[in-house]
């Protein structure tokens, strides 16, 4: 089985611009774009310049991706658009929505696939071992293979050539005279080799040697003597097309003449001889600059204005009565110098319009005009002085830069020591070409005003220390040339591309042809001087190269100093690998850190899913021991360090390499400019002293061959996990580990940054402990001295130190090692062997590499474990072995075991918080020194692992706990085994898998524990969803995540929470009680919220249960559980009410007025949503309290059909309910005042409204009772909501309307309620009751926009119009007028009560004032008692806050959001498509925040409430039944 397709998901967020973030992908991957919360509901369009099928890549051509909505529903939170990535390169994407064309974007980089050999097999990027050659040192082409064979025989598989083109007169490898011609030096006399001949050689190496070749492309400059630049001077920066360089050219000529004068001895008497040897000489040069050069060239004149002509122009304007045009000034009265674009002396001017605005004459008299002109003259002279000072700063910097260069080149110990100043070695490098006869400065300067001459003064290229790499230093606005900040390459002319081909057609065409030739013959390119190459140029050229060779390998070395800026280059150019250098490390510790940084996962990393988020990465590294343009390591470190540092580099999980000469121990940098000797040829029999030839005995070649082979084997065999151990100051151990075979290779390298001959290294080498069984010593090697004569620099070939070679042994047994003294085996627990290695001769400069396997028994058990994991992921097939002695339970796939579980079982398997577990005598697993898991079930573990897995956070306390012992492993299986039944079977399956797990090395336990649990968890979820409704099965991930809330909240505890149902009822679940030895009912009950309302007497609440039941049970298809809960609560009806706190029925409290109406609403929903749902009306209800005062009755004693119980509830309300709670007093409520225990619920006969309560109790969901004696709110409800609460009136309306309909269908036998008033019997029909509420509702509840509305009893209390009151007839009338979210509930259950336009206006006010990020504010923030932060522990003097008095006075509760959104959707539909579409957007946008919370919450739920603006509230339940349920209902409505 091949591993499943790799899919990466990139989540788009509004305004997120990721141009500096690197996303790397492989060919064959699928990339999916999905919408983040900020974009949900918007019409987003995604564009990318990845070529459409059959098209060629054009980076300016974008096409729009199509959205795929897997569910096909309005809830499209899972929709995505995707790309199948088959073509290498860099691609830009952007997205927008509605009118925003671009509201975010970024880049993706797809890696090339490289192929070698006659069979064209793949060369993985991490297998690359590259070696650099200076092409000019290879000699004639017919001799190349003899010289290149050295690389083949040393184990390299890629050659990097410096440019192969004709070189300029400086002979620098990077100064090219003709980009299109092969260097004629490669052709011996009588031959004329072409690119085709070079191509044939490259192809031969690819096919026969399995080697690829790449070469440099140089876009920034050309040789100063290039013939084509003479013909096309517009291709460089000259004084015609770049007049801003004129002042810099003048200074450059002046400095050249200083060089000539010093060389000719003219300054000797002023203390500056031709040979500069001291600081005194430097100071004398500084004097010459300031006394002779600057006064003579007067650079400031290029930046100044000519005062008198401007004053005259101004005078003329004043005399003709000119007035300023204010539309042209920016309102700032400032006179600024306007730079002359041609940079002539005194060519600058000022804005006369601004002058007229600033200098206004006092009248028209000649005197007034003259005064004005004098003011302007004074200001112009001030401006000239400012410009003079500015140029002076430039001259100071120029002086410092020049003297810094002179000091480095002629005085510094580490500099080139150039000797006397001559015309060949000038004082400072020239910045411009001067292709004319030498003359005096006075004769030179007029040439810049002659166009035919000025066009040939071309600016040299170079580099600027600390400059912004994204800025071109030769363009206007940069002062690099005048300030002499450029470290110039005097042999190269900087090329001027402009903004595109139209700006310089010849140059673009020439360089494109050069690029295409290179791409035709070479597998890849190195972008020379990449950080200074204009990005748009490199982009266009690489696009041309990829058109020729789609899988072009692109490397570059960047010196930006910033990873983010590096990413800009990598993204825009599609760079495959960035060159990194081990020489940048100052010590072995840093060298080891670089290995860890540049590739690989940690050892024991988790297996990542094949579909996962696309995460930012760092650029793929090409890690070199040294690059060809840096100093020789032997000069900086020691010859003995060459081998161990190479070994450290070779162990890196990335591309690696070196430069020719390093392995031969060449003692100097092979200069790209001055080196003219040839590389040595390969001769297997060559002796150390043979000039011009090398063999395996030369330098460290034998060691490098072994290391390169090992590097390639490790990458090819997926040893992609890395561990770096700093054993001591000089010793670095690098482990590469294969996650499928669990083999490791450990390289122990003793570096020698300092020469052991002069530096005392410790003889004490600490022992090493290597876990596992050492199979062999792959290699042991060290650099040793030999008798081969002393080093003499050969005149014809580039030779290295003959007196050193490598002593190496490969593939030997540990006992035969000369480096290891002894290896003892110690056991660290079951099947975990650790070998202690004591070193004998691990001298500085030596390397030993071990191949390590697991202990054979552990190896077998890992294989067996992987075999059993294949059922979850085919990836585990690699390294798996069949299980010959599998326990019986493991012979059945886990899916089959789990198919026998019920959803109540799934509650145990996946969830159950600490208090639920404790009820069973257990508890959630607690990790010492960290925290307890949220759940006893699998979700508790998976929530933690979901955070650890993507980051491979193996140092997490969770992973530590797994490595230290089997406690957590045993907890998981024992918890289920102890339950017996099918859950016990799942426990046995886990136990059997853990049996293998416990016997593998501890460092591997976290990743395999994760694999087992992920497999079990996903299987459980698949099984769960199959048992739910089609809405869930076919729903989005969001729907499914919410549906898990049904499992979370609904379960069966150790003690049944629900009162028993009638024995006459069929399909009731039973279980055997081991304590009573009898069968007992075990119906699922619903917790109100976790963790606070999950177990014992506080688990079940009437109101919470029936607000949540529709969403959690009916929408998810759990009809039987819903029926049982409805009937169980029906059995507890007493006084015409359903209990608030259920207390198993026997301890019920009947102190709420709304639970009975929510119960009735659920019965209605059940009848409407469940197939044959009205059958429930006939179901027997076992009445616990047949009369108000009866003792609890045994089940079946008094049975009634449900419709009778319904009728009784309504009849009792119409009759009027009035009673005092049983056991009233502190024993049932320690905060309630005595008056609060009196319960009243009645119906107003005039309006049909249910009303009740008093100011000392709270009968609705806003039920906070004051608790603070200090603040004097104890016993006073914060929100009594007495009178007629808006949602209760609507729930009552919904119920009576439904009963009228049922009666008409013959499903409900009653048409009316009978009551007794004053001794007489009265009858009120349900139809009349229904009509009554309908006709009075808006009259009494709507707060009209009309201040004179006759229905308004208290106009003085109105503070918001166009809303619906929260209640009607409250004992404190102002409470009626408070804006709260409760009317939105009424709109959903009885929408017929509302006029559409009024409802819409009220909903918009609620949206504006009450809607928060996750919840609805429970009170208008404009209300004087509003407070949005709930703190139940705070006790102070504040009446409105103490002891959480503001529970419902501002904090944002989640469940009303569901009703608000459902109401919006309902009324939006009535208002037409446009309104509905906008509302759908709002709904999706709001719900996206719930989705994010759900995904991130370790509880995998939605909280009870948040503090204001969505802030976390620590006193809230972390997950609440009704919060999840009402959000699920919104998605169901969509």
């Amino acid at each position: 089985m091949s591993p499943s397709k790799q899919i990466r998901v990139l989540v788009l967020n509004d305004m997120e611009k990721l141009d500096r973030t690197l996303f790397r992908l492989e060919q064959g991957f699928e990339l999916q774009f999905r919408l983040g919360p900020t974009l949900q509901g918007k019409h987003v369009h995604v564009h990318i310049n990845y070529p459409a099928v059959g098209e060629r890549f054009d980076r300016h051509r974008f096409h729009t991706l199509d959205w795929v909505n897997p569910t096909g529903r309005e809830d499209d939170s899972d929709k995505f658009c995707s790309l199948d990535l088959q073509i290498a390169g860099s691609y830009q994407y952007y997205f927008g929505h509605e009118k925003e064309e671009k509201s975010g974007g970024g880049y993706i980089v797809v890696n090339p696939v490289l192929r070698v050999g006659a069979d064209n097999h793949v060369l993985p990027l991490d297998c690359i071992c590259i070696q650099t050659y200076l092409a000019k040192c290879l000699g004639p082409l017919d001799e190349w293979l003899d010289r290149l064979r050295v690389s083949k025989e040393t184990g390299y598989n890629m050659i990097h050539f410096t440019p192969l083109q004709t070189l300029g007169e400086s002979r620098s490898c990077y100064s090219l005279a003709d980009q299109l011609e092969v260097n004629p030096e490669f052709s011996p006399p009588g031959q004329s080799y072409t690119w085709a001949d070079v191509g044939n050689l490259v192809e031969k190496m690819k096919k026969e040697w399995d080697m690829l070749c790449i070469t440099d492309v140089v876009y920034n400059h050309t040789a100063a003597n290039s013939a084509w630049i003479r013909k096309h001077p517009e291709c460089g920066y000259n004084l015609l097309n770049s007049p801003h360089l004129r002042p810099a050219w003048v200074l450059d000529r002046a400095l050249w003449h200083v060089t000539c004068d010093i060389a000719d001895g003219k300054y000797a008497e002023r203390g500056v001889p031709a040979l500069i040897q001291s600081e005194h000489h430097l100071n004398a040069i500084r004097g010459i600059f300031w006394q002779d050069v600057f006064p003579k060239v007067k650079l400031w004149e290029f930046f100044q204005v000519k005062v008198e002509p401007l004053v005259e122009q101004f005078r003329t304007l004043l005399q003709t009565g000119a007035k300023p045009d204010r539309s042209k000034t920016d309102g700032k009265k400032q006179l600024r110098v306007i730079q002359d674009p041609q940079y002539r002396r005194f060519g600058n001017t000022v804005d006369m319009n601004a002058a007229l605005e600033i200098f206004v004459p006092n009248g028209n008299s000649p005197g007034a005009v003259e005064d004005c002109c004098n003011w302007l003259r004074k200001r112009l002279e001030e401006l000239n002085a400012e410009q003079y000072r500015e140029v002076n700063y430039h001259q100071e910097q120029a002086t410092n830069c020049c003297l810094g260069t002179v000091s480095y080149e002629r005085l510094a110990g580490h500099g080139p020591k150039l000797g006397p100043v001559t015309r060949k070695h000038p004082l400072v490098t020239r910045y411009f070409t001067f292709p004319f006869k030498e003359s005096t400065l006075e004769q030179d300067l007029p040439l810049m005003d002659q166009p035919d001459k000025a066009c040939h003064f071309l600016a040299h290229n170079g580099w600027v220390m600390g400059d912004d790499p994204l800025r071109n230093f030769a363009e206007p606005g940069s002062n690099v040339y005048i300030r002499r900040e450029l470290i110039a390459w005097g042999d190269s002319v900087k090329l001027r591309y402009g903004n595109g081909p139209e700006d310089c057609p010849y140059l673009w065409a020439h360089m494109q042809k050069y690029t295409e030739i290179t791409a035709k013959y070479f597998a890849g390119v190195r972008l020379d001087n990449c950080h200074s190459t204009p990005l748009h140029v490199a982009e266009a050229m690489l696009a041309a190269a990829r058109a020729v060779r789609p899988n072009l390998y692109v490397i570059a070395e960047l010196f930006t100093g910033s990873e983010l800026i590096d990413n800009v280059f990598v993204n825009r150019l599609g760079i495959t690998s960035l060159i990194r250098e081990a020489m940048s490390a100052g010590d072995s510790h840093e060298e080891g850190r670089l290995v860890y940084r540049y590739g690989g996962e940690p050892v024991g990393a988790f297996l990542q899913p094949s579909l996962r988020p696309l995460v930012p990465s760092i650029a793929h590294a090409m890690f070199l021991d040294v690059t060809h343009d840096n100093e020789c390591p032997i000069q900086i470190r020691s010859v003995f360090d060459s081998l161990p540092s190479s070994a450290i580099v070779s162990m890196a999980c990335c591309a690696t390499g070196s430069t020719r000469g390093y392995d031969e121990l060449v003692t100097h940098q092979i200069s790209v400019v001055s080196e003219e000797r040839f590389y040595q040829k390969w001769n297997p029999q060559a002796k150390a002293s043979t000039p011009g030839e090398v063999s395996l005995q030369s330098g460290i070649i034998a060691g490098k061959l072994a290391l390169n082979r090992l590097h390639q084997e490790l990458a090819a065999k997926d040893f992609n996990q890395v561990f770096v151990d700093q054993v001591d100051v000089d010793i670095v151990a690098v482990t590469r580990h294969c996650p499928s075979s669990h083999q490791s290779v450990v390289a122990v390298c003793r570096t020698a940054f300092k020469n052991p001959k002069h530096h005392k290294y410790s003889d004490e080498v600490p022992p090493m402990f290597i876990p596992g069984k050492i199979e062999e010593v792959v290699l042991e090697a060290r650099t040793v001295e030999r008798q081969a004569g002393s080093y003499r620099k050969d005149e014809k070939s580039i030779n290295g130190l003959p007196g050193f070679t490598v002593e190496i042994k490969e593939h030997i047994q540990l006992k035969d090692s000369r480096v290891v003294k002894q290896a003892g085996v110690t056991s660290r627990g079951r099947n975990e062997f650790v070998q202690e290695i004591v070193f004998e001769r691990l001298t500085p400069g030596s390397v030993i590499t071990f191949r390590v396997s697991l202990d054979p028994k552990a190896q077998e058990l890992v294989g067996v474990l992987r075999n059993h994991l294949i059922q979850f992921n085919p990836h585990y097939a690699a390294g798996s072995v069949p299980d010959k002695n599998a326990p019986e339970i493991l012979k059945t796939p886990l899916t089959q075991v789990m198919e026998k579980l019920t959803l109540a079982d799934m509650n145990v398997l996946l969830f159950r918080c600490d208090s639920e577990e404790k009820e069973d005598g257990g508890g959630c697993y607690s990790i010492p020194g960290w925290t307890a898991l949220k759940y006893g079930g699998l979700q508790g573990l998976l929530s933690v692992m979901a955070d650890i897995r993507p980051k491979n956070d193996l140092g997490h306390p969770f992973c530590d706990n797994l490595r230290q012992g089997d406690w957590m492993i045993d907890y998981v299986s024992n918890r289920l085994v102890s339950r017996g039944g099918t859950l016990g079977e799942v426990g046995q399956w886990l136990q059997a898998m853990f049996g293998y797990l416990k016997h593998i090395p501890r460092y591997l336990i976290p990743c395999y524990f994760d694999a087992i649990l992920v497999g079990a968890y996903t299987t459980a979820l698949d099984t769960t969803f199959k048992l739910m409704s089609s809405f869930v099965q076919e729903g989005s991930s969001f729907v499914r995540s919410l549906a898990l809330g049904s499992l979370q909240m609904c379960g069966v505890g150790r003690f049944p929470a629900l009162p028993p149902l009638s024995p006459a009822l069929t399909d009731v679940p039973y279980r055997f009680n081991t304590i009573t030895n009898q069968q007992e009912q075990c119906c699922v009950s619903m917790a109100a919220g976790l963790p606070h309302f999950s177990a014992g007497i506080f688990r079940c609440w009437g109101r919470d249960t029936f607000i949540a039941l529709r969403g959690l049970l009916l929408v998810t298809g759990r009809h039987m559980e819903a029926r049982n809960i409805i009937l169980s609560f029906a059995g507890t009806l007493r006084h015409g009410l359903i209990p608030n706190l259920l207390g198993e029925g026997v301890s019920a409290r009947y102190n709420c007025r709304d639970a009975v109406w929510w119960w009735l609403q659920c019965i209605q929903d059940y009848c409407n949503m469940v197939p044959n749902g009205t059958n429930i009306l006939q179901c027997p209800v076992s009445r616990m309290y047949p009369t108000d005062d009866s003792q609890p009755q045994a089940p079946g004693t008094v049975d009634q059909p449900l419709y009778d119980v319904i009728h009784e509830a309504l009849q009792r309300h119409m009759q009027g309910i009035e009673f005092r709670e049983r056991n009233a007093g502190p024993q049932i409520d320690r905060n309630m005042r005595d008056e609060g225990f009196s319960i009243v619920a009645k119906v107003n006969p005039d309006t049909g409204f249910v009303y009740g309560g008093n100011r000392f109790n709270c009968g609705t969901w806003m039920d906070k009772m004051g608790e603070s004696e200090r603040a004097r709110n104890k016993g006073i409800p914060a929100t009594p909501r007495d009178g007629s609460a808006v949602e209760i009136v609507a729930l009552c309306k919904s119920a009576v309307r439904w009963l009228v309909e049922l009666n008409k269908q013959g499903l409900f036998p009653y048409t009316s309620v009978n009551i007794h008033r004053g001794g007489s019997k009265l009858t009120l029909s349900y139809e009349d009751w229904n009509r009554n509420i309908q006709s009075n509702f808006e009259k009494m509840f709507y707060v009209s926009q009309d201040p004179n509305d006759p229905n308004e009893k208290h106009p003085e209390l109105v503070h918001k119009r166009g809303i619906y009151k929260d209640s009607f007839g409250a004992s404190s009338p102002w409470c009626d007028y408070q804006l709260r979210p409760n009317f939105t509930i009424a709109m959903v259950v009885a929408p017929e009560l509302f006029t559409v336009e009024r409802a819409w206006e009220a909903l918009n006010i609620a949206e504006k004032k009450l809607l928060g990020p996750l919840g609805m504010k429970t009170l208008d923030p404009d209300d004087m008692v509003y407070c949005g932060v709930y703190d139940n522990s705070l006790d102070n003097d504040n009446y409105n806050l103490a002891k959480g008095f503001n529970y419902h006075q501002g904090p944002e509760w989640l469940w009303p959001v569901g009703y608000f959104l459902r109401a919006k959707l309902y009324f939006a539909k009535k208002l037409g498509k446009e309104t509905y579409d906008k509302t759908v957007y709002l709904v999706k946008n709001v719900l996206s925040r719930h989705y994010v919370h759900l995904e991130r919450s370790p509880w995998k739920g939605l909280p009870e409430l948040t503090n204001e603006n969505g802030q976390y509230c620590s006193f809230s339940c972390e997950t609440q039944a009704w919060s999840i349920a009402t959000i699920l209902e919104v998605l169901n409505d969509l």
Side-chain angles (χ1 to χ4, degrees), residues 230-389:
R230 298 263 173 93
K231 291 183 192 158
H232 293 278
E234 78 279 4
C235 296
Y237 289 87
N238 61 45
L239 302 193
L240 277 191
N241 63 24
S242 306
H244 64 283
L245 295 175
R246 282 160 56 98
W249 180 82
V250 169
L251 177 58
D252 194 53
R253 289 314 297 158
L255 293 176
W256 170 253
H257 287 286
V258 169
T259 285
C260 298
D261 290 348
I262 293 175
D264 297 342
K266 289 183 185 173
Y267 282 115
E269 73 281 2
R270 287 179 59 181
V272 184
L275 184 62
I276 293 162
Q277 291 178 300
S278 68
E279 283 292 324
H280 175 72
H281 292 155
L282 292 181
N283 285 329
I285 294 170
R286 186 183 294 275
I288 290 167
F289 279 20
W290 285 101
Q291 289 152 31
D292 295 18
V293 177
F294 298 141
K296 188 185 283 184
V297 295
K298 298 186 170 71
L299 296 182
W300 51 85
E301 293 180 353
F302 290 98
F303 301 92
Q304 289 182 330
V305 299
K306 211 163 191 138
V307 176
E308 286 313 317
L310 288 177
V311 172
E312 276 309 307
Q313 188 186 347
F314 185 62
R315 180 181 283 113
T316 307
L317 285 171
L318 289 181
Q319 287 168 344
T320 55
K323 292 279 180 280
D325 178 354
R326 294 187 196 285
S327 66
K328 290 184 183 167
T329 58
D330 56 6
K332 294 176 187 163
K333 291 195 174 184
Q334 242 180 336
L335 197 65
R336 288 199 202 91
V337 172
I338 297 170
Q339 180 63 47
D340 169 26
Q342 295 308 312
Y343 281 78
R344 292 165 296 205
R345 290 184 188 270
F346 297 116
N348 289 354
T349 182
V350 293
D351 180 4
M352 282 298 164
N353 202 45
L356 288 169
E357 196 170 8
I358 298 165
F359 305 107
V360 182
N362 297 322
N364 297 326
S365 68
V369 168
E370 197 51 46
D371 284 350
C372 240
C373 290
N374 287 336
W375 295 336
L376 175 64
R377 182 181 289 107
K378 185 168 177 288
R379 181 68 189 123
L380 292 174
E381 284 162 356
E382 286 170 4
L383 287 173
N384 273 351
E386 282 174 27
Q387 297 292 81
Y388 179 84
R389 282 195 296 277

Side-chain angles (χ1 to χ4, degrees), residues 1262 1281 1284-1287 1341 1364-1368 1375-1383:
M1262 293 185 163
R1281 300 190 70 227
S1284 298
V1286 64
E1287 76 279 16
F1341 276 93
Y1364 286 86
K1365 296 173 190 169
D1366 188 54
S1367 55
F1368 175 73
C1375 292
D1376 289 345
Y1377 294 87
Q1378 288 179 308
L1379 173 64
R1380 296 185 186 273
N1382 296 308
F1383 72 82

Side-chain angles (χ1 to χ4, degrees), residues 77-128:
S77 50
D78 276 350
K79 77 175 178 185
F80 62 88
C81 45
S82 68
L83 268 180
D84 199 10
L85 302 171
Q86 300 295 347
I87 308 168
S90 155
Y91 303 104
Q92 186 180 6
Y93 70 89
Y94 69 87
F95 59 90
H97 50 83
E98 281 79 47
K99 296 190 180 82
E100 286 269 338
E101 176 59 23
K102 291 186 181 176
S103 65
Y107 290 83
I108 58 164
V109 176
V110 182
N111 284 334
V113 174
L114 305 180
R115 294 181 180 275
V116 290
D119 60 351
N120 223 18
H121 63 271
V122 172
L123 174 66
L125 298 183
D126 290 344
C127 275
I128 290 171

Side-chain angles (χ1 to χ4, degrees), residues 1408-1423:
K1408 189 173 160 210
K1409 287 289 176 187
L1410 304 181
L1411 183 62
L1414 286 179
M1416 294 285 277
K1417 290 180 172 62
T1418 34
L1419 180 61
D1420 181 358
D1422 298 336
D1423 197 292

Side-chain angles (χ1 to χ4, degrees), residues 1021-1093:
L1021 293 195
D1022 291 344
T1023 310
T1024 293
F1025 297 134
K1026 282 179 190 161
L1027 296 173
M1028 288 187 170
S1029 63
S1030 61
F1031 168 69
V1032 174
Q1033 287 178 32
E1034 296 156 19
S1036 63
S1037 313
F1038 186 18
V1039 165
R1040 289 169 160 225
S1041 296
L1042 287 165
L1044 290 180
S1046 173
L1047 291 192
Q1048 230 176 63
M1049 298 296 168
C1050 303
V1052 182
R1054 185 174 178 195
F1055 307 107
L1058 295 178
L1061 298 164
S1062 166
L1065 202 59
T1066 54
D1067 305 328
V1068 177
Y1070 281 83
R1071 68 179 176 196
F1072 186 73
N1073 185 325
T1074 49
I1075 298 163
T1076 63
N1077 286 329
Q1078 289 181 334
Q1079 291 286 336
E1080 67 180 8
Q1081 290 183 15
C1082 55
C1083 292
V1084 165
S1085 66
M1086 189 188 295
L1090 313 182
H1092 308 317
F1093 305 114

Side-chain angles (χ1 to χ4, degrees), residues 678-793:
F678 292 161
Y679 292 115
Q680 303 184 100
K681 294 179 178 177
W682 179 259
N683 175 2
Q685 275 72 50
K687 299 282 181 289
S689 52
T690 314
E693 293 185 340
V694 290
S695 68
L696 275 179
Q697 279 65 54
S698 310
I700 61 164
I701 286 180
K704 202 54 167 285
L705 170 63
L707 291 170
N708 282 341
R709 277 185 190 150
L710 180 61
H711 176 78
Q712 290 166 48
E713 179 202 335
L714 294 177
K717 293 185 176 170
D718 277 336
F719 281 70
N720 59 10
Q721 298 186 343
V722 181
F723 174 68
V724 180
D725 183 14
Q726 187 73 32
V727 181
D728 78 357
V729 179
D730 306 302
I731 301 174
V732 178
V734 184
T735 301
R736 290 278 296 276
H737 182 84
C738 172
S740 53
S741 69
H742 293 299
Q743 259 201 359
S744 298
V745 170
V746 182
V748 185
C749 313
R750 188 163 192 195
T751 59
F753 278 43
K754 299 188 174 89
N755 193 327
K757 289 183 173 176
H758 317 126
H759 175 77
K760 179 77 179 92
Y761 282 89
S762 167
D763 295 332
E764 291 297 311
V765 175
M768 272 194 71
F769 295 89
I770 296 180
K773 177 171 178 281
I774 294 176
E775 300 280 351
E776 64 164 355
V777 174
V778 181
L779 68 99
E780 59 180 36
R782 60 202 189 104
T783 310
V784 292
E785 293 188 65
R786 62 175 170 181
Q787 294 302 313
S790 58
Y791 170 74
R792 275 207 325 277
K793 191 170 179 176

Side-chain angles (χ1 to χ4, degrees), residues 972-1164:
V972 173
S973 54
N974 294 351
R975 175 178 171 270
L976 297 171
V977 169
S978 65
R979 294 181 170 274
T982 312
L983 277 171
E985 284 181 43
V986 175
Q988 286 164 21
W989 185 90
L990 287 167
Q991 205 168 46
M993 291 291 276
F994 293 159
Y996 300 127
L997 180 72
K998 290 175 183 179
H999 292 87
I1000 68 175
R1002 299 310 299 189
Y1003 70 90
L1004 293 175
I1005 282 181
C1007 67
Y1008 280 104
F1009 180 71
D1010 180 62
I1012 295 166
L1013 289 203
V1014 166
Y1017 179 76
T1018 49
T1019 306
L1021 293 195
D1022 291 344
T1023 310
T1024 293
F1025 297 134
K1026 282 179 190 161
L1027 296 173
M1028 288 187 170
S1029 63
S1030 61
F1031 168 69
V1032 174
Q1033 287 178 32
E1034 296 156 19
S1036 63
S1037 313
F1038 186 18
V1039 165
R1040 289 169 160 225
S1041 296
L1042 287 165
L1044 290 180
S1046 173
L1047 291 192
Q1048 230 176 63
M1049 298 296 168
C1050 303
V1052 182
R1054 185 174 178 195
F1055 307 107
L1058 295 178
L1061 298 164
S1062 166
L1065 202 59
T1066 54
D1067 305 328
V1068 177
Y1070 281 83
R1071 68 179 176 196
F1072 186 73
N1073 185 325
T1074 49
I1075 298 163
T1076 63
N1077 286 329
Q1078 289 181 334
Q1079 291 286 336
E1080 67 180 8
Q1081 290 183 15
C1082 55
C1083 292
V1084 165
S1085 66
M1086 189 188 295
L1090 313 182
H1092 308 317
F1093 305 114
S1094 56
I1097 193 171
F1098 292 109
R1099 177 177 170 85
C1100 293
W1101 299 72
R1103 173 192 301 123
D1104 297 69
T1105 296
F1106 293 112
I1107 290 174
L1109 185 134
R1110 181 177 187 272
L1112 290 191
L1113 296 181
L1114 297 179
V1115 167
T1116 58
R1118 302 184 68 178
H1119 301 151
M1120 186 57 70
E1121 288 102 322
R1123 181 204 73 170
N1124 293 346
I1125 289 173
I1126 288 169
L1127 296 176
S1128 182
F1129 270 90
T1132 63
L1133 188 88
R1134 196 177 199 180
H1135 306 290
L1137 297 174
I1138 289 290
N1140 180 19
L1141 179 63
L1142 178 62
E1144 297 167 26
V1146 288
S1147 309
R1149 278 194 73 187
Y1150 295 86
N1151 61 337
C1152 71
R1153 307 195 305 275
D1154 57 353
V1156 65
W1157 300 105
W1158 283 110
W1159 170 74
L1160 287 164
Q1161 185 64 36
C1162 277
I1163 301 169
Q1164 181 183 167

